[in-house]
Amino acid sequence: MSIDMKFDGRAFINGERVHARDGQTFDSVSPVDGRVLASIARCGQADIDSAVSFARAAFDDARWSGLAPAQRKKVMIKFADLLLALGDELAMTETLDMGKPVKYARGVDVNSAANCIRWYGEAVDKVYDEIAPTSRNALALITREPVGVVGVIVPWNYPMIMAAWKIAPALAAGNSVVLKPSEKSPLTALRMADLALQAGIPAGVFNVVTGYGPEAGSPLALHMDVDCIAFTGSTRVGKQIHVMAGQSNLKRAWTELGGKSPNIVFADCPDLDRAVQAAVGSIFFNQGESCNAPSRLFVEEKIKDKFLEKALVLMPGYAPGNPLDKATVMGALVDKTQMDTVLRYIESGKSEGARLLSGGERTMVETGGCYVQPTIFDGVRNDMTIAREEIFGPVLSVLSFTDAADVVRQANQTIYGLQAGLWTSDLNKAHGIARALRAGTVHVNQYDEDDITVPFGGFKQSGVGRDKSLHAFDKYTETKTTWIRIDSPIRQASVER
Ligand code: NAD
């Protein structure tokens, strides 16, 4: 695959690649080396109106929603197969667009997105509706129906996966979709739309509008003809999404937002090496740009020095490298803005008195790309900025504790509630603390298990609703009750004895 690839940055509306109505564009700049990759359509209100009206027309004439689930399944599976067939191209595109190592773009992002689309396709002809246990002179059917037009807004950290988590259940359930990818990583979403059409998803059913949040995202969230908005991104914008839903047509609003996940290691941890590997590997994976990264590490005081000694031994293995090189595990941050934000947080850690143990600097400056060394701070207190705010970069804050009740209190002392981890050999402690942690997912003696079969989402300001698993269908379907009167001439079963 050549890195001199050419990209089509036009939007995808009603089955066609189109320029923004007013012809405006913006540059997509690669964080790998600063090169301009493509000129992207800068969509605005008129483009959103157009995409929504085509999505509505497609929904109303039932060209997709009216198909039997088994037919939609076939198309979804073909869509997943096409993603895999073009896996190398998509992975290279993702790497150039947002800086993650190509090895993970191919092995994680492409595979997970395809698996997600296949899974919801496979699921849709296996979920049944219900009949309520009412009296015999009535039949009450409880059916699931697609909500209609679904607006989807996603971030840049796992562009294909974040999109797939929403478009797959929404499309499988029969909805029409208008997807707005992040302005920082729009290219793979556009290719996904090309492939969806090729797989047989009819024109108008799946549209992609590119552009900036306030110009393209807000008109979608505010649109009076969008029935549901599914958002993944920051808590700051997520709150605005709920306001926009409320001030327009009370569209259903689902939000997957930020995190500042605690990872608690007790001295009776069953496998210290594994705990160290997981703590370091999970925060530095994807350059720390993961909502569920365990960015607050609480280590019991008596094992902290040993723990950190082992962690430092691993650090050279996370040195940033060229993301296009298949051996690289740590790539570039998504853009200069994000890199500057991360460097500012590192400065705040230093100035508030945390002890820099490793990293802390921009690196590979000569490439023109956006690279930051993986960074560890020791001696962090829970009230420091680097322990309270989501950095969304390769920065680990290490805190110590002596008392179990106190560490649970500190772990929960955050506006977020996405994930949490704990390491102990004591089953009672594990169960008790897992229940006490206010988080959507709790990991015990591991931090990296993940599967499309389990729900993903947060407590508190980490958002409303769950992606993944069969629960995701709840977001993209309305529950309808249909009462049917039964005037049966036969009151009782007549059985010949
Ligand atoms: P962001 O909130 O800045 O942007 C997310 C999306 O919203 C982008 O497409 C952006 O263009 C759009 N947007 C921005 N302003 C908008 C507005 N006024 N109206 C409508 N849309 C608008 O977030 P980001 O920087 O792209 O992503 C990082 C954030 O995403 C982090 O907080 C991270 O934790 C979160 N995230 C959460 C999950 C999860 O599942 N909980 C997963 C991945 C990322």
Side-chain angles (χ1 to χ4, degrees):
M1 180 71 49
S2 158
I3 55 169
D4 294 321
M5 298 160 73
K6 296 273 176 286
F7 301 103
D8 184 349
R10 291 175 298 167
F12 187 96
I13 297 176
N14 197 31
E16 286 175 12
R17 290 301 201 110
V18 291
H19 294 289
R21 291 271 169 117
D22 61 8
Q24 291 222 50
T25 60
F26 64 96
D27 283 344
S28 163
V29 176
S30 175
V32 171
D33 54 11
R35 81 179 80 171
V36 174
L37 293 172
S39 178
I40 309 292
R42 184 169 171 174
C43 295
Q45 183 76 53
D47 307 290
I48 308 310
D49 287 346
S50 162
V52 171
S53 73
F54 282 117
R56 172 61 61 196
F59 184 72
D60 286 349
D61 71 18
R63 70 188 78 159
W64 176 248
S65 58
L67 296 183
Q71 285 176 284
R72 290 202 298 271
K73 172 177 85 170
K74 270 192 196 147
V75 176
M76 297 289 289
I77 290 173
K78 185 148 182 228
F79 182 14
D81 287 343
L82 287 172
L83 282 177
L84 290 179
L86 268 73
D88 290 345
E89 177 206 313
L90 290 165
M92 185 66 87
T93 305
E94 204 76 295
T95 292
L96 288 168
D97 210 11
M98 64 72 65
K100 70 175 65 200
V102 71
K103 134 180 175 161
Y104 297 136
R106 182 67 188 83
V108 177
D109 292 63
V110 172
N111 286 349
S112 298
N115 181 49
C116 173
I117 289 165
R118 181 188 309 279
W119 195 84
Y120 283 103
E122 289 279 9
V124 73
D125 67 347
K126 296 168 189 69
V127 284
Y128 288 70
D129 288 330
E130 300 163 39
I131 296 175
T134 57
S135 70
R136 291 187 65 166
N137 62 356
L139 182 64
L141 308 177
I142 304 169
T143 52
R144 291 274 180 186
E145 301 195 0
V147 288
V149 176
V150 175
V152 173
I153 301 177
V154 289
W156 44 263
N157 59 337
Y158 297 95
M160 271 182 286
I161 299 177
M162 295 299 99
W165 284 5
K166 294 179 191 326
I167 65 170
L171 289 171
N175 297 281
S176 293
V177 170
V178 178
L179 164 67
K180 194 207 84 65
S182 169
E183 60 278 18
K184 301 184 187 206
S185 61
L187 293 172
T188 48
L190 291 167
R191 288 298 284 140
M192 285 171 92
D194 294 334
L195 298 178
L197 185 73
Q198 204 179 316
I201 294 184
V205 171
F206 178 34
N207 308 274
V208 177
V209 286
T210 45
Y212 294 103
E215 296 172 4
S218 294
L220 192 56
L222 281 166
H223 209 288
M224 293 301 286
D225 208 20
V226 169
D227 302 292
C228 165
I229 188 91
F231 174 87
T232 298
S234 62
T235 294
R236 182 184 65 80
V237 179
K239 288 180 181 181
Q240 294 172 26
I241 296 290
H242 286 285
V243 171
M244 288 188 260
Q247 79 191 52
S248 53
N249 58 344
L250 205 62
K251 56 178 66 65
R252 280 81 186 103
W254 306 109
T255 48
E256 298 288 344
L257 309 176
K260 193 76 194 174
S261 301
N263 184 22
I264 306 170
V265 186
F266 288 96
D268 64 355
C269 163
D271 184 340
L272 200 59
D273 288 325
R274 192 148 143 234
V276 173
Q277 178 62 61
V280 172
S282 303
I283 180 67
F284 297 137
F285 185 70
N286 212 43
Q287 300 72 243
E289 297 163 326
S290 300
C291 52
N292 60 339
S295 49
R296 285 185 300 150
L297 173 65
F298 292 89
V299 187
E300 192 161 349
E301 182 63 47
K302 59 185 163 197
I303 59 161
K304 198 190 75 173
D305 288 348
K306 192 161 146 205
F307 193 98
L308 290 179
E309 220 171 87
K310 286 174 180 283
L312 289 177
V313 170
L314 299 180
M315 292 308 283
Y318 291 93
N322 182 349
L324 299 165
D325 179 341
K326 285 192 178 144
T328 296
V329 296
M330 177 92 166
L333 297 187
V334 70
D335 66 0
K336 187 167 177 320
T337 308
Q338 185 64 14
M339 179 177 69
D340 290 344
T341 302
V342 170
L343 292 170
R344 266 200 308 279
Y345 274 115
I346 290 174
E347 284 314 306
S348 98
K350 289 183 199 162
S351 67
E352 290 181 24
R355 193 153 52 86
L356 185 65
L357 274 194
S358 184
E361 301 287 341
R362 184 179 177 187
T363 182
M364 294 170 62
V365 181
E366 69 290 352
T367 61
C370 306
Y371 302 86
V372 173
Q373 294 170 333
T375 298
I376 301 183
F377 278 109
D378 186 19
V380 178
R381 288 191 323 272
N382 216 22
D383 61 352
M384 288 181 180
T385 309
I386 57 168
R388 280 186 295 111
E389 296 185 12
E390 186 184 39
I391 300 174
F392 224 53
V395 182
L396 178 64
S397 298
V398 183
L399 303 89
S400 60
F401 69 94
T402 49
D403 174 78
D406 183 54
V407 77
V408 171
R409 188 187 57 77
Q410 288 197 62
N412 285 336
Q413 209 172 46
T414 166
I415 62 165
Y416 299 112
L418 193 54
Q419 301 209 343
L422 73 110
W423 300 75
T424 176
S425 300
D426 180 337
L427 199 58
N428 288 317
K429 194 155 74 180
H431 273 295
I433 293 178
R435 291 298 297 265
L437 289 167
R438 305 282 297 155
T441 301
V442 178
H443 300 273
V444 180
N445 296 334
Q446 57 80 35
Y447 202 91
D448 41 18
E449 283 294 338
D450 191 23
D451 200 78
I452 190 68
T453 54
V454 297
F456 187 105
F459 285 25
K460 301 194 277 184
Q461 293 187 38
S462 286
V464 176
R466 296 290 182 269
D467 277 333
K468 299 173 43 191
S469 81
L470 292 179
H471 291 278
F473 279 131
D474 294 344
K475 304 201 295 192
Y476 307 111
T477 51
E478 291 284 14
T479 305
K480 177 184 278 182
T481 301
T482 306
W483 283 102
I484 300 172
R485 186 181 164 86
I486 310 282
D487 281 329
S488 172
I490 302 167
R491 296 308 255 178
Q492 275 180 323
S494 52
V495 181
E496 293 285 331
R497 289 179 200 278

